[in-house]
Amino acid sequence: AQTVTQSQPEMSVQEAETVTLSCTYDTSESDYYLFWYKQPPSRQMILVIRQEAYKQQNATENRFSVNFQKAAKSFSLKISDSQLGDAAMYFCAYRRITGGGAQKLVFGQGTRLTINP
Amino acid sequence: ETGVTQTPRHLVMGMTNKKSLKCEQHLGHNAMYWYKQSAKKPLELMFVYNFKEQTENNSVPSRFSPECPNSSHLFLHLHTLQPEDSALYLCASGGGTHQFFGPGTRLTVL
C-alpha cells in the first residue's frame, strides 16, 4: 500500500521569505501523480500544484514550485515570497495513474504553515 | 470556490439522532468521495462512488450510510453516532487527475 509522510507538523516563516515543506512517499508504482493541497482556515481544500511522476521537470505555479526526487521518493513544496494568505494546512497527496475509474488520494498528515508579518 | 458545495456547514447532534449530510457538484465529474478529517490525523477516505456505484467502503461503521442518487449528488446518512465521530466531513468530486473538495461539514456529536 502507498503511504505519504509529512514530517513537519508545523512550520513558520517571515512574510516575503521562502519556506520549504517536506514530503516523502512510498510506492512500488512507476507512474503516479503527486499533489500539494492547501486548506486555509475557511477549510475548503484547494489544489496548489501537481506533478506527474513521468515528467522530470519540476512543476511550478507562480510562487509555488516543487522539488521532485523520484529515486528518493521525495516531493517538497517551496513557497517563495511568502504572503499572509499562504497561511494554511498543507497536505501532500499521492494518486495512482493506472487502473481507471475513481482513484483515491492518499494523504500525508499535513503541515500547518504560519506566516509571521 | 471549487464548485463543490456541502450542507449543512455545521451540525450538532445527539447520539440518538438521525441526520444527513449533502454534497453537490455540477462539474460533470463521475466520481465522488467522502472523507473524514479528525484533529491530528490524516484525511481518512470513507467511501468512493463512481458513476453512482459504490466502489470503495473503507471499513466504515454501518452507522454511516452513503447514498449517491446521481453523479451530481452524494449524501451521508448518520444514525446513532458516537462522540468520537465528531470531525470535519469533506466531500470531493473528481473527473480527471485531481479532486475538488467542498468546504466540509463540522459535525459535533454530543
Side-chain angles (χ1 to χ4, degrees):
Chain A
Q2 295 84 16
T3 60
V4 177
T5 301
Q6 293 177 249
S7 59
Q8 305 155 315
E10 296 182 353
M11 292 280 286
S12 64
V13 65
Q14 291 295 126
E15 193 176 3
E17 298 288 303
T18 295
V19 64
T20 299
L21 308 184
S22 301
C23 173
T24 58
Y25 59 94
D26 188 27
T27 183
S28 58
E29 303 280 332
S30 60
D31 209 5
Y32 44 86
Y33 292 109
L34 294 166
F35 307 91
W36 279 98
Y37 279 88
K38 169 185 178 181
Q39 189 180 36
S42 66
R43 296 197 294 271
Q44 193 143 12
M45 189 110 61
I46 56 174
L47 180 69
V48 175
I49 199 164
R50 177 182 71 209
Q51 175 82 40
E52 289 90 344
Y54 67 87
K55 291 185 176 179
Q56 293 185 340
Q57 186 172 6
N58 288 325
T60 299
E61 289 287 340
N62 300 313
R63 299 182 294 106
F64 298 86
S65 61
V66 299
N67 183 4
F68 174 47
Q69 302 287 328
K70 190 173 184 179
K73 296 180 181 175
S74 170
F75 183 60
S76 61
L77 174 70
K78 185 171 83 171
I79 306 174
S80 303
D81 185 26
S82 298
Q83 300 176 2
L84 295 178
D86 295 333
M89 282 289 289
Y90 286 82
F91 292 95
C92 179
Y94 167 100
R95 208 209 92 170
R96 292 176 60 195
I97 286 183
T98 57
Q103 291 294 326
K104 64 181 182 180
L105 293 174
V106 179
F107 284 90
Q109 301 91 326
T111 297
R112 182 175 301 282
L113 178 64
T114 301
I115 312 296
N116 300 313
Chain B
E1 181 60 49
T2 63
V4 180
T5 59
Q6 289 185 244
T7 54
R9 294 292 304 274
H10 301 271
L11 178 62
V12 179
M13 60 187 289
M15 289 190 286
T16 59
N17 292 156
K18 290 184 179 182
K19 297 287 184 183
S20 296
L21 310 184
K22 179 182 178 181
C23 175
E24 187 171 352
Q25 61 94 3
H26 294 289
L27 301 171
H29 295 158
N30 297 315
M32 296 189 76
Y33 309 78
W34 277 118
Y35 289 88
K36 177 183 179 182
Q37 186 176 23
S38 306
K40 303 186 185 300
K41 293 177 69 175
L43 274 79
E44 302 172 62
L45 179 67
M46 299 176 71
F47 302 102
V48 180
Y49 277 82
N50 194 30
F51 292 97
K52 302 186 299 178
E53 297 298 320
Q54 187 180 118
T55 58
E56 184 149 350
N57 176 338
N58 200 23
S59 302
V60 180
S62 59
R63 57 186 184 269
F64 295 91
S65 176
E67 179 189 2
C68 189
N70 54 62
S71 292
S72 299
H73 295 86
L74 184 65
F75 295 89
L76 188 63
H77 304 299
L78 315 172
H79 63 98
T80 60
L81 294 191
Q82 304 299 309
E84 60 264 29
D85 297 323
S86 298
L88 181 68
Y89 289 84
L90 293 170
C91 172
S93 73
T97 56
H98 66 280
Q99 293 175 20
F100 295 75
F101 285 81
T105 295
R106 172 65 64 186
L107 174 66
T108 302
V109 181
L110 301 177

